[in-house]
Amino acid sequence: MTIATTLASVLLSISTLFSFDRERIIEFDQLPQVSQEFIQANFPSHEISYIIEENELTHTTYDVKFTNGDNIEFRGNGEWKEIDCEYNNIPDSAVPSQLLDYVKAKHPKNMIEKLSREYNRYEVELNNGLEIVFNSNFEVLRYDD
């Protein structure tokens, strides 16, 4: 009987460990200061619909959804991870200048609708569906369509 009890206890502990993923709605002032400043500087007229804080076992993310459908995902340290303005263009002020300069020079008739940043690359999606992948030094790695 004690083996069954021990086994049940171990399984319960393991399931608890892997179910750490928690989401909750938070207020603007609960975002990291860096995220608050980014939104105020680059999306000052956007009205926030809701903000979700997601705590996972190894990291935290914040998902800010605006009433017009735009969305920004932030890492736990407050830096943006992804900006998705599917129905609008991303404000120039929110785009790293090297990326913005490249897009304006090579694709002057297009707008940036989505921008994501990983630790070693940036991905830019234009309003014509074209995706451009840059390395961390802002050099073009490839185009995808």
Side-chain angles (χ1 to χ4, degrees):
M1 190 72 156
T2 56
I3 292 175
T5 305
T6 303
L7 183 59
S9 177
V10 168
L11 290 174
L12 181 62
S13 296
I14 290 172
S15 69
T16 302
L17 178 67
F18 289 107
S19 67
F20 186 77
D21 187 20
R22 303 278 186 245
E23 291 183 357
R24 69 183 183 118
I25 300 288
I26 64 169
E27 298 297 320
F28 180 78
D29 62 359
Q30 294 174 288
L31 279 172
Q33 188 66 34
V34 174
S35 303
Q36 292 179 38
E37 291 169 1
F38 182 84
I39 292 169
Q40 290 167 337
N42 299 292
F43 297 87
S45 63
H46 281 56
E47 183 180 340
I48 294 174
S49 178
Y50 59 88
I51 303 170
I52 296 177
E53 176 187 59
E54 185 174 357
N55 290 304
E56 296 182 16
L57 186 58
T58 59
H59 65 280
T60 299
T61 58
Y62 301 94
D63 190 25
V64 178
K65 187 74 163 184
F66 296 102
T67 56
N68 68 352
D70 293 351
N71 186 62
I72 306 174
E73 184 179 349
F74 294 96
R75 291 188 176 89
N77 66 2
E79 294 179 350
W80 64 267
K81 180 179 179 183
E82 182 175 281
I83 306 170
D84 188 355
C85 297
E86 185 175 344
Y87 306 107
N88 306 290
N89 61 307
I90 296 175
D92 289 352
S93 61
V95 180
S97 61
Q98 300 92 326
L99 301 178
L100 185 62
D101 292 346
Y102 182 88
V103 169
K104 285 187 173 191
K106 301 291 184 181
H107 305 279
K109 295 182 181 183
N110 296 109
M111 300 179 302
I112 300 174
E113 289 185 338
K114 188 173 184 179
L115 179 61
S116 61
R117 171 172 59 181
E118 294 299 326
Y119 295 105
N120 62 352
R121 73 171 189 255
Y122 292 85
E123 294 182 17
V124 173
E125 186 174 322
L126 304 179
N127 62 326
N128 64 355
L130 189 65
E131 293 180 25
I132 310 167
V133 180
F134 296 84
N135 66 19
S136 58
N137 294 321
F138 304 104
E139 299 164 332
V140 175
L141 295 175
R142 70 178 182 278
Y143 275 78
D144 292 327
D145 59 353

